[in-house]
Amino acid sequence: MKKSEITCPFSEARTNKGFGEMDDQNDPVTMLLRHKDVRKGAHDWKTFQSGATPGRIVIPSEVNIRTTRQIPFEVDPPQHKSFRDILDPWFKRPLEEEYQAKLTAQISVLVDEVLALDSVDVISEFALKLQSRALTLLLNTAYDKSDLWISWGTHVFRSEGEALDGDKAAILYDYIDAEIDKAIANPGADLYSVLLASEVDGKKLTKEEVKGVMILTFAGGRDTVINAVSNSLAYLADNPKSLERLREEPEIRNRAIEELIRYYAPLTQMGRVVTEDTTVCEHAIKADTRISLVWAAANRDEKVFENANEVVLDRKMNPHLSFGFGTHNCLGATHARAIMKVLVEVLTAKVQSMEIISAEENIEELGEFKRKVGFHALQMKFNKK
Amino acid sequence: MAKITFITSDNETITLEGTSGSVMALAVDNGVKGIDGDCGGVCSCATCHVHVLPEHVAKTGEASEIETDMLELDDNANEFSRLCCQLEISEALDGVVLRVAK
Ligand code: FES
């Protein structure tokens, strides 16, 4: 099997029952696996709530390590829309030419750096740097702030495995508190200041609300972007013709990016809290228990995707759920797509080929399922064009 | 060459001409309000939702199953709904009028 491949551990359960089960710190989860059910679940925010106890919809649950509500992700309509209305324009900035020019400059420098080395760990020396530096654009803050974020490593928000690390999470929370205080003392054109000056439903955002948005911005786009970038690089290395094809057929690049995002599903699942007794696939689900929407399983549903377990680089119809679906679809999707687009542009311009030297897989243990979500380490060599 | 008219939610009427590509791309390139085309046209984002004016439905034809499934969960959808990334520009579309859903 190629190192870049990710098999789907959910196929049997998806076909036979439609759901799976896992235990998460004594707060079990019923996992929805079919494309239709996941989409319906995501759509039905009244039955499947996001605005529960802060941290509870995340798997593994973060109830024990934070009390701050992440916004807009842990807020339901109608209030959710008021927050999205102020956040959406800001998070659409990656569509602007100037933004993309800056992103291109950042990624070009990074690719030049790795081309000059004999080999490089794509996780810590490429994807982590790329994500942290690009985040300075999304926040509209100074470039050198990224040095500190890079020093936190890929695992600042949680420790490996099931155990959650409150001390580690506190580094981020304290940092954000301090940045908010700085922005209050010295308002600028960064996201902190913009949020502090914003009103939702006629009221200024509180410090706690600003913090909730900022934690989400830091945490939501960290391992997801790292996974998307590193898995895609592994794919291009394993399939040398694909890079050639992307070079020669720029018109398929958008489809290829969406397909890589479908296949790799950088975030496996997201939970919801059930507000009333209901059923999924004839399975009873009790009020105040949790379900999860398993994007990764829905993305491999053979009823929807032909050759679901293959990367079809120019797949035309691709209703993947990697950015979620419905009300709570990913706020950072525009930024993530811009990163992937620029990455492909820079790689096709500068890189002839890539090779995987060694890889250490990152496997999630989800009850009866084990899913590879990416790599802990990925040593690769980049060859110049 | 096809003339395609969009009516936005604030009742602005924009008529554009195109020869190839998708109606979504034409709308995005010309900044039609309410058509974002986030996924670039692969039927995964539903940010290109339009209602075809009833008298023009014959020009656009029927939605595919994947498209219909996608629209089924859109609160705003009705029998005239289409994802305009799935509408290929051709002579057949000439004169079509589309009301932007968002
Ligand atoms: S552009 Fe995404 S569904 Fe049409």
Side-chain angles (χ1 to χ4, degrees):
Chain A
M1 202 174 110
K2 286 181 178 165
K3 292 217 163 50
S4 63
E5 277 176 34
I6 292 187
T7 53
C8 179
F10 307 105
S11 353
E12 216 190 296
R14 184 181 51 230
T15 315
N16 298 338
K17 308 190 287 184
F19 66 94
E21 283 166 290
M22 64 175 280
D23 179 65
D24 169 24
Q25 304 160 74
N26 299 320
D27 187 5
V29 184
T30 304
M31 309 161 79
L32 274 48
L33 305 176
R34 292 180 182 154
H35 192 268
K36 243 197 175 124
D37 293 331
V38 171
R39 264 215 309 220
K40 279 203 175 133
H43 180 67
D44 184 1
W45 53 267
K46 281 189 183 143
T47 314
F48 305 115
Q49 166 195 49
S50 294
T53 307
R56 193 167 175 218
I57 63 166
V58 187
I59 304 162
S61 164
E62 295 174 357
V63 166
N64 294 324
I65 62 163
R66 70 172 157 95
T67 51
T68 300
R69 180 173 296 283
Q70 291 187 9
I71 296 174
F73 160 79
E74 292 175 324
V75 180
D76 280 312
Q79 217 198 352
H80 175 268
K81 186 179 181 294
S82 311
F83 282 111
R84 279 298 283 249
D85 285 348
I86 59 162
L87 293 168
D88 281 344
W90 181 271
F91 281 82
K92 290 258 181 205
R93 286 160 50 253
L95 293 173
E96 293 164 10
E97 249 170 66
E98 196 193 328
Y99 190 110
Q100 292 195 9
K102 287 184 193 158
L103 191 56
T104 305
Q106 284 187 359
I107 295 180
S108 296
V109 167
L110 191 56
V111 169
D112 287 340
E113 267 169 41
V114 298
L115 276 169
L117 298 170
D118 284 341
S119 81
V120 43
D121 174 34
V122 160
I123 306 302
S124 60
E125 295 172 274
F126 189 88
L128 172 64
K129 286 187 185 175
L130 190 162
Q131 190 273 333
S132 298
R133 291 173 185 174
L135 185 60
T136 63
L137 297 177
L138 190 62
L139 303 192
N140 202 24
T141 54
Y143 179 79
D144 57 14
K145 299 234 178 212
S146 59
D147 293 338
L148 174 67
W149 309 335
I150 293 167
S151 78
W152 290 341
T154 49
H155 289 293
V156 67
F157 312 115
R158 59 177 67 147
S159 298
E160 318 244 335
E162 295 287 296
L164 290 166
D165 191 332
D167 294 342
K168 266 189 149 181
I171 297 176
L172 174 70
Y173 304 159
D174 292 347
Y175 171 79
I176 290 173
D177 280 335
E179 292 296 301
I180 292 172
D181 287 337
K182 275 191 226 164
I184 292 172
N186 231 328
D190 53 280
L191 179 55
Y192 304 92
S193 307
V194 168
L195 291 173
L196 287 163
S198 296
E199 282 186 7
V200 162
D201 299 334
K203 268 192 265 130
K204 277 253 166 75
L205 262 69
T206 63
K207 261 170 90 167
E208 178 72 0
E209 286 170 335
V210 173
K211 185 177 176 183
V213 175
M214 296 310 301
I215 296 178
L216 180 60
T217 308
F218 270 89
R222 184 84 159 184
D223 40 1
T224 47
V225 168
I226 291 173
N227 288 338
V229 166
S230 49
N231 283 319
S232 299
L233 287 177
Y235 175 82
L236 296 172
D238 265 347
N239 301 275
K241 283 195 188 127
S242 60
L243 186 60
E244 217 37 68
R245 198 169 165 206
L246 292 173
R247 206 181 331 264
E248 275 157 23
E249 297 174 62
E251 66 280 7
I252 69 154
R253 286 181 194 168
N254 180 73
R255 285 186 202 164
I257 289 166
E258 295 298 320
E259 174 67 347
L260 290 166
I261 289 172
R262 174 192 74 89
Y263 181 86
Y264 288 112
L267 179 70
T268 304
Q269 62 180 346
M270 183 50 67
R272 297 282 191 263
V273 173
V274 183
T275 55
E276 57 186 71
D277 290 355
T278 182
T279 54
V280 173
C281 303
E282 291 162 18
H283 175 70
I285 305 183
K286 279 211 163 11
D288 198 40
T289 64
R290 294 189 297 167
I291 61 149
S292 76
L293 308 166
V294 188
W295 321 117
N299 279 357
R300 301 293 183 98
D301 193 331
E302 262 115 8
K303 290 219 166 79
V304 178
F305 303 96
E306 244 175 80
N307 302 320
N309 292 307
E310 280 168 38
V311 175
V312 179
L313 219 51
D314 58 355
R315 191 184 290 276
K316 218 175 153 197
M317 284 298 250
N318 196 346
H320 70 75
L321 303 179
S322 289
F323 290 119
F325 183 77
T327 312
H328 284 284
N329 68 0
C330 176
L331 179 63
T334 311
H335 178 68
R337 284 179 162 124
I339 286 178
M340 291 297 290
K341 175 183 157 215
V342 170
L343 179 63
V344 168
E345 276 167 13
V346 174
L347 290 174
T348 49
K350 291 181 180 265
V351 177
Q352 184 56 41
S353 62
M354 293 172 266
E355 293 151 51
I356 299 177
I357 296 166
S358 64
E360 191 197 320
E361 296 185 337
N362 178 1
I363 312 254
E364 290 178 343
E365 307 254 355
L366 312 161
E368 57 186 299
F369 311 104
K370 288 185 184 18
R371 177 178 187 247
K372 174 181 158 194
V373 65
F375 304 93
H376 287 306
L378 176 64
Q379 200 67 31
M380 281 183 37
K381 172 158 177 45
F382 290 70
N383 302 308
K384 259 197 200 79
K385 209 181 118 193
Chain B
M1 180 76 79
K3 268 203 170 82
I4 296 166
T5 300
F6 298 89
I7 306 171
T8 65
S9 56
D10 21 331
N11 274 322
E12 198 192 336
T13 301
I14 305 160
T15 300
L16 300 168
E17 285 183 8
T19 45
S20 64
S22 80
V23 170
M24 179 280 289
L26 181 73
V28 170
D29 290 346
N30 290 282
V32 174
K33 197 178 147 226
I35 307 268
D36 295 339
D38 287 348
C39 75
V42 298
C43 210
S44 100
C45 69
T47 63
C48 63
H49 181 186
V50 293
H51 294 124
V52 183
L53 259 52
E55 58 271 34
H56 296 292
V57 168
K59 296 190 170 87
T60 58
E62 300 263 300
S64 70
E65 197 186 326
I66 289 184
E67 193 184 331
T68 314
D69 282 356
M70 187 79 164
L71 286 163
E72 182 196 48
L73 292 176
D74 198 306
D75 299 325
N76 225 334
N78 63 25
E79 55 186 309
F80 303 110
S81 285
R82 291 298 306 265
L83 294 174
C84 69
C85 67
Q86 301 304 312
L87 298 176
E88 271 301 308
I89 299 177
S90 75
E91 298 284 337
L93 276 188
D94 191 36
V96 77
V97 182
L98 309 167
R99 196 175 275 281
V100 179
K102 198 176 102 184

